[in-house]
Amino acid sequence: MYKTHTLHEKIRLLLLVMGPILVTQIGLYAMNFIDTTMSGRAGAEDLAGVAIGSSLWVPILTGVSGILLALPPIISQLMGAGKKEGVSFYVIQSIYLSLAISLLVFLLGLFAVEPVLNVMALEEEVAYIAKHYLIGLAVGVVPLFMYNAIRGFIDSLGQTRVTMIITLLALPVNFLFNYLLIFGKAGFPELGGIGAGYASALTYWFILIVTIYFVHAVRPFKSYKIFSSFYRLDFTVWKELLLLGMPIGLTIFFETSIFSAVTLLMSQFSTVIIAAHQAAINFASLLYMLPMSMAFTLTIAVGYEIGGKRLVDAKSYTKIGMGLSVAMGLVACVIIYVLREPVSMLYTVDSEVALYIQQFLIYSIFFQLSDAINTPIQGILRGYKDVNVPFILALVAFWGIGLPTGVVLANYTVLGPYGYWVGLIIGLAVCAGCLAFRLLKIQRNVALQLQKS
């Protein structure tokens, strides 16, 4: 990041930072897309099993990744204030924290996965695939969370192109491992959907190794000498990271877990409906990468300007980012509507499943605009280090309003499984409105603080 002076410079820098982040997020999504589509080709049970496994895993993944998102605003504000010397210490502490969290997640999975699957009304084969898909993923928990910690450092320097390159290198690796392990090629066992879990884990190890190489040997990262010094555990810094990161992680967790909760509640319906729901969510998640990438970008840009006490510049980035996000949301709506039929055929050769996918995609149109407002504002607020109130708003909107509404509509109206999607739409809309008011309040408060100082 660097200081900008004109509107043109700000737009240019925002797009330069966001472009690689978007490609990176699409690349990470593409791994899940590859898992889902290739598992679907192995059979409806494999697709449903991976859907259930993903529904249990994704909230944990995004929640932990959210905790580690405490690092970018801290480093951005350090860089904005010209305090480069403290960066490497924070990065190493974040890596230590990621290892501790990995251990906790592994223990949670060891004791909780089977009991959770047992209380669900799943077909025996679907439950078996879901369980062993998660066991495969567990092999990659440590490298995945370590990578997320290091990525926070890379992106905070505005070097988002590097994470893009790493992700693009990983895609063919992920595809190859999926091909070998799902379909049993080149002498490997034919694991079906279970193979997708092991393929992802192996890919995560590849990503970590490449990332460590870049940070250690490539400029400008090597000048920070991240791995050249040994730092003791500093629980004071862990506390700082957790106080900032826990609300971020919980906010993201409550947003993503409501989608997973809906998938789990869908277990009352047929395997066909579960598979179609997962496929529709999977494609909608691709388009969600647009506002998510803008959110990451705005955290970096706003954090940098606030660190330099340039509120006017921070507000300019906010206006530009929100305008771009809403425009992209409108484009996403058109894409879903126009391409819903060919998209459905990417996921399945079963005409019944394809028809349900198309119907679910129509509903997904309505929460694209809410995401286009809700998600970037979360990123802006993180740049201000405002994380506690957004967490409470997300909890109430998604779990206090959205999910209960969905349960009622799905079980007591003719909407059936589509009722859950209407609940999602309502929850997202409420959260977007509340966060917009919160942002205006924070901007006023920061302006008053800067005037006093």
Side-chain angles (χ1 to χ4, degrees):
M1 290 296 297
Y2 53 84
K3 188 176 178 180
T4 55
H5 302 280
T6 67
L7 180 63
H8 178 266
E9 288 178 348
K10 285 180 172 58
I11 294 173
R12 182 176 181 273
L13 180 58
L14 204 62
L15 293 176
L16 282 174
V17 175
M18 180 192 168
I21 290 178
L22 177 59
V23 174
T24 299
Q25 291 305 123
I26 291 175
L28 294 172
Y29 158 84
M31 293 182 194
N32 183 255
F33 176 80
I34 290 169
D35 288 353
T36 303
T37 53
M38 295 183 79
S39 296
R41 296 290 171 177
E45 290 78 11
D46 291 272
L47 178 57
V50 171
I52 297 297
S54 295
S55 296
L56 294 173
W57 166 241
V58 168
I60 303 299
L61 167 62
T62 54
V64 171
S65 298
I67 293 172
L68 298 174
L69 281 175
L71 188 62
I74 290 173
I75 293 181
S76 293
Q77 292 198 11
L78 285 173
M79 297 298 291
K83 299 178 180 178
K84 177 182 175 180
E85 65 278 359
V87 170
S88 61
F89 177 70
Y90 271 95
V91 174
I92 292 298
Q93 295 302 320
S94 184
I95 292 173
Y96 290 160
L97 180 60
S98 74
L99 291 172
I101 294 173
S102 298
L103 177 60
L104 291 176
V105 169
F106 185 81
L107 292 173
L108 175 66
L110 185 65
F111 293 105
V113 168
E114 192 157 359
V116 170
L117 290 174
N118 286 339
V119 302
M120 298 172 63
L122 296 172
E123 296 175 9
E124 184 177 348
E125 185 176 357
V126 172
Y128 178 85
I129 292 170
K131 175 184 174 181
H132 288 273
Y133 168 78
L134 290 169
I135 290 173
L137 278 175
V139 177
V141 164
V142 168
L144 177 60
F145 293 156
M146 283 185 66
Y147 162 72
N148 277 318
I150 300 171
R151 180 189 168 181
F153 160 63
I154 295 173
D155 287 351
S156 296
L157 300 185
Q159 300 294 323
T160 52
R161 185 179 299 179
V162 173
T163 51
M164 176 187 73
I165 292 171
I166 294 170
T167 303
L168 293 177
L169 288 173
L171 281 177
V173 174
N174 181 246
F175 179 86
L176 175 62
F177 284 134
N178 268 290
Y179 178 73
L180 295 176
L181 294 172
I182 291 176
F183 302 111
K185 303 297 183 179
F188 285 84
E190 184 178 351
L191 300 177
I194 295 169
Y198 287 97
S200 294
L202 292 170
T203 305
Y204 296 149
W205 280 105
F206 170 82
I207 289 173
L208 176 63
I209 291 168
V210 175
T211 302
I212 290 175
Y213 166 76
F214 268 96
V215 170
H216 181 69
V218 177
R219 293 179 179 176
F221 314 111
K222 71 176 185 179
S223 66
Y224 290 84
K225 299 179 180 179
I226 299 298
F227 301 113
S228 298
S229 300
F230 173 77
Y231 295 103
R232 295 181 181 276
L233 294 176
D234 189 324
F235 293 108
T236 303
V237 175
W238 280 35
K239 181 181 178 181
E240 180 183 356
L241 288 167
L242 288 171
L243 285 174
L244 183 59
M246 284 295 291
I248 297 174
L250 289 171
T251 300
I252 297 173
F253 172 82
F254 284 123
E255 182 171 355
T256 56
S257 62
I258 191 173
F259 288 90
S260 298
V262 166
T263 299
L264 299 179
L265 290 169
M266 285 278 189
S267 63
Q268 66 182 290
F269 299 105
S270 68
T271 297
V272 167
I273 290 178
I274 296 173
H277 162 81
Q278 175 63 17
I281 285 288
N282 187 261
F283 183 72
S285 298
L286 167 61
L287 299 176
Y288 178 68
M289 296 303 104
L290 292 167
M292 177 180 282
S293 299
M294 181 58 73
F296 289 161
T297 305
L298 289 171
T299 296
I300 296 168
V302 171
Y304 180 81
E305 299 299 348
I306 293 299
K309 301 184 184 302
R310 297 180 292 270
L311 179 60
V312 173
D313 293 293
K315 284 186 174 181
S316 294
Y317 278 121
T318 296
K319 292 175 183 177
I320 296 167
M322 291 304 300
L324 289 172
S325 182
V326 171
M328 290 186 293
L330 291 170
V331 171
C333 293
V334 173
I335 289 173
I336 291 175
Y337 183 78
V338 172
L339 298 180
R340 64 189 186 281
E341 184 174 350
V343 164
S344 69
M345 301 311 296
L346 289 174
Y347 289 91
T348 184
V349 294
D350 187 315
S351 59
E352 185 181 5
V353 175
L355 181 60
Y356 275 111
I357 292 173
Q358 293 168 37
Q359 292 171 347
F360 280 123
L361 285 174
I362 290 293
Y363 283 90
S364 74
I365 290 173
F366 295 97
F367 57 70
Q368 292 300 317
L369 282 178
S370 293
D371 276 331
I373 298 170
N374 169 35
T375 308
I377 293 179
Q378 289 183 35
I380 294 165
L381 292 172
R382 288 196 290 268
Y384 285 98
K385 291 188 178 178
D386 179 58
V387 293
N388 292 312
V389 172
F391 153 61
I392 296 171
L393 293 176
L395 175 61
V396 173
F398 298 134
W399 288 86
I401 298 173
L403 188 60
T405 301
V407 170
V408 171
L409 293 175
N411 291 281
Y412 301 103
T413 74
V414 295
L415 287 172
Y418 305 113
Y420 288 118
W421 283 62
V422 175
L424 293 175
I425 294 166
I426 293 172
L428 285 166
V430 170
C431 190
C434 293
L435 286 175
F437 282 108
R438 178 63 182 174
L439 175 59
L440 293 174
K441 181 178 180 180
I442 288 297
Q443 288 176 333
R444 286 195 297 268
N445 290 344
V446 172
L448 290 174
Q449 290 172 6
L450 291 177
Q451 286 176 2
K452 291 179 182 179
S453 62

